[in-house]
Amino acid sequence: MAPSALPTALSLLEAGRGVRILEAATVGGATSHGNCGTITPSHAPPLAAPGVPMRALKWMFTPDAPLYLKPRVDPALWHWLARFTARCNSRDWMASARARAALLDDSRARLVQWIGRYGLDCEFGETGLDYVFRDRRNFEHYVAECAPLNAMGIATETIDGADYLRQEPALKPGIVGAIRFPDDAHLRPDRYVAELARAVRERGGVIEEGCRVEAIEPGADGVRVRIAGQAGGRGERRGRDAVVAMAAWTPQIIRPLGLRLPIQPGKGYSITYSRLDRLPRRPLVLKDRSVCITAWGSGFRLGSTMEFSGHDSTLNEVRLTALERAAREYLQQPPDASMIQEKWYGWRPMTWDDLPALGRSPKHPHVWLAAGHGMLGISMSTASGQLVADLMTGRKPAIDPAPYRVERFQ
Ligand SMILES: Cc1cc2nc3c(=O)[nH]c(=O)nc-3n(C[C@H](O)[C@H](O)[C@H](O)COP(=O)(O)OP(=O)(O)OC[C@H]3O[C@@H](n4cnc5c(N)ncnc54)[C@H](O)[C@@H]3O)c2cc1C
């Protein structure tokens, strides 16, 4: 639990509300733990783009492709895919991109404020982020895509391969070019989540770990939440409002309330290593392989892939090997097995319009949703939390909440 729940809790505490977070496992133990920690206003364009269905079809037959769908009978998945595919057109692409940009830009600015205000010690760096290419056609394709990004207010710099290698000696020869997003940033996500949790507790918020929510029972003037503790001990908590921020687990919990939230788990993998001497100065996306590298003072991480295989909890070695292969292809000093600290997977909470559901439930006035942040839960975290808290406390939100309304899925 993290970017969805903790920033909402912090913003509510600031507004004078009491908060209790019920976490089934440990804070920051799920998707927010091993992700790449990039803060990317540059990623405003959604996954559903013209041409993606054809590319995805091709990738279905490639076991180590960056996007993979495990063919199976699953009506919820096929419904999700049909809605996703229908959005792969320029008009819907632009609508999602604008709404994502609003959340990402507000979040990027707010994150700097929060880091200062709450003293969040999370290896934050405002270095920008680079897409790097070894394949010239791919590079030219992405250079052509910069114009629509610039029109959306996303700054880019195009750098020639030779120049880039002079700037970035950690990379092997063979880079044909790079695109820099100077306004992007990064942090260490596990540290960020731990620091948010500290700030919540210091302001009087209560975080109960090992406390699984089994059911939410809304009433006329509040909510009752049934819980099962780790030791099997059952109980209940009562409150004025409940915010459901359970990422890929949200649909199951809200279904009995007659609420729909089409979230598919988009499984991604990462490998975390101890620090190397020669590491890239800023986060890189090795675009030809769709692999991200983020280096911090405390180590570095390779992460990638989007696998639609349901709530599958196996660590697929083929995918992990693809990460290592990309690192060997690009890095002068690739990591070796002795440096591995952790191999990890996480389920990105993916909605078909690539926007989170933020706001009040249309059926139950005391039930709120903050889920479905997809590939960008860290990047959207502060704006998303502030928005939900503002809606709950009747404060005018900083951005228009309409695109994220829960009603669009009912
Ligand atoms: C490989 C990979 C790389 C990524 N890189 C980036 C990146 O660079 N930048 C970025 O912005 N985003 C990135 N993401 C996406 C980001 O990690 C997610 O969007 C984000 O972590 C989602 O946060 P969340 O709080 O919604 O979900 P989670 O962190 O998954 O939290 C949900 C919590 O709900 C709890 N829960 C579930 N069921 C119950 C229940 N019944 N009762 C109580 N608690 C329950 C879970 O235990 C969990 O702790 C990446 C994701 C992956 C997989």
Side-chain angles (χ1 to χ4, degrees):
M1 164 165 310
S4 305
L6 291 167
T8 309
L10 202 45
S11 304
L12 284 169
L13 288 162
E14 290 288 4
R17 295 279 291 264
V19 173
R20 179 179 292 270
I21 294 179
L22 308 176
E23 162 57 55
T26 51
V27 163
T31 328
S32 307
H33 174 72
N35 65 69
C36 296
T38 58
I39 307 297
T40 48
S42 62
H43 285 32
L47 194 60
V52 165
M54 279 315 289
R55 230 175 304 152
L57 260 182
K58 250 189 348 210
W59 278 335
M60 265 180 77
F61 302 100
T62 315
D64 62 352
L67 179 64
Y68 179 71
L69 173 76
K70 188 174 178 182
R72 63 191 190 280
V73 181
D74 177 347
L77 172 67
W78 289 101
H79 179 257
W80 190 99
L81 284 172
R83 298 302 300 255
F84 174 87
T85 307
R87 288 189 70 86
C88 292
N89 63 73
S90 309
R91 192 175 48 94
D92 288 332
W93 179 87
M94 184 53 86
S96 282
R98 285 213 178 98
R100 283 159 64 88
L103 211 46
L104 287 165
D105 291 346
D106 183 58
S107 213
R108 172 72 176 85
R110 212 174 278 281
L111 181 61
V112 176
Q113 294 163 16
W114 283 30
I115 284 174
R117 187 187 310 153
Y118 302 117
L120 305 177
D121 178 9
C122 56
E123 304 190 47
F124 179 61
E126 295 186 286
T127 51
L129 169 146
D130 295 342
Y131 284 0
V132 287
F133 300 83
R134 294 173 69 85
D135 180 309
R136 185 162 297 282
R137 263 185 56 194
N138 201 20
F139 176 49
E140 283 163 4
H141 167 80
Y142 276 93
V143 169
E145 295 217 328
C146 286
L149 296 182
N150 300 155
M152 244 184 266
I154 299 169
T156 58
E157 292 164 20
T158 302
I159 307 166
D160 152 76
D163 259 7
Y164 193 76
L165 284 167
R166 270 191 291 277
Q167 293 179 30
E168 188 46 275
L171 293 196
K172 276 186 176 166
I175 301 299
V176 295
I179 300 172
R180 177 160 300 158
F181 299 95
D183 298 331
D184 284 359
H186 64 280
L187 47 71
R188 178 121 194 179
D190 30 357
R191 292 290 318 143
Y192 176 55
V193 172
E195 285 288 274
L196 284 173
R198 172 187 58 75
V200 164
R201 288 189 176 109
E202 281 174 4
R203 277 153 192 81
V206 176
I207 302 177
E208 291 190 65
E209 297 183 307
C211 188
R212 176 173 300 282
V213 172
E214 288 191 317
I216 296 170
E217 296 169 358
D221 27 76
V223 235
R224 190 160 68 147
V225 175
R226 288 192 186 281
I227 55 160
Q230 250 170 2
R234 285 165 192 277
E236 64 173 49
R237 303 283 182 273
R238 287 169 189 269
R240 176 164 147 196
D241 295 297
V243 182
V244 188
M246 296 177 193
W249 296 270
T250 306
Q252 295 90 308
I253 285 286
I254 61 171
R255 200 172 299 128
L257 303 177
L259 293 171
R260 273 204 297 259
L261 183 54
I263 290 184
Q264 282 293 322
K267 193 175 178 190
Y269 295 83
S270 73
I271 310 178
T272 307
Y273 301 89
S274 50
R275 240 198 106 81
L276 277 169
D277 300 332
R278 290 170 84 183
L279 279 171
R281 293 155 197 238
R282 49 178 68 78
L284 305 183
V285 181
L286 314 176
K287 254 332 226 188
D288 310 321
R289 300 282 171 238
S290 299
V291 168
C292 179
I293 303 186
T294 316
W296 306 282
S298 57
F300 79 103
R301 184 168 288 162
L302 304 173
S304 180
T305 71
M306 175 70 79
E307 188 182 302
F308 290 100
S309 47
H311 288 89
D312 166 38
S313 57
T314 51
L315 263 180
N316 181 333
E317 279 300 328
V318 174
R319 308 219 158 261
L320 294 167
T321 305
L323 298 180
E324 291 168 329
R325 195 181 319 125
R328 277 199 302 276
E329 195 181 359
Y330 279 80
L331 293 183
Q332 288 274 15
Q333 189 191 3
D336 63 50
S338 69
M339 301 163 70
I340 295 178
Q341 292 180 339
E342 185 178 17
K343 292 182 173 183
W344 176 87
Y345 77 87
W347 293 325
R348 301 178 187 90
M350 301 296 296
T351 59
W352 40 254
D353 61 5
D354 235 347
L355 292 170
L358 307 173
R360 194 196 289 269
S361 132
K363 295 201 171 153
H364 309 286
H366 296 286
V367 176
W368 299 75
L369 295 191
H373 295 77
M375 303 167 75
L376 295 177
I378 306 289
S379 303
M380 292 175 170
S381 57
T382 55
S384 163
Q386 187 68 56
L387 178 64
V388 174
D390 286 347
L391 293 171
M392 291 177 73
T393 54
R395 223 178 98 164
K396 188 175 175 335
I399 57 172
D400 177 9
Y404 325 106
R405 280 160 59 100
V406 180
E407 282 80 351
R408 70 190 195 277
F409 294 124
Q410 306 311 308

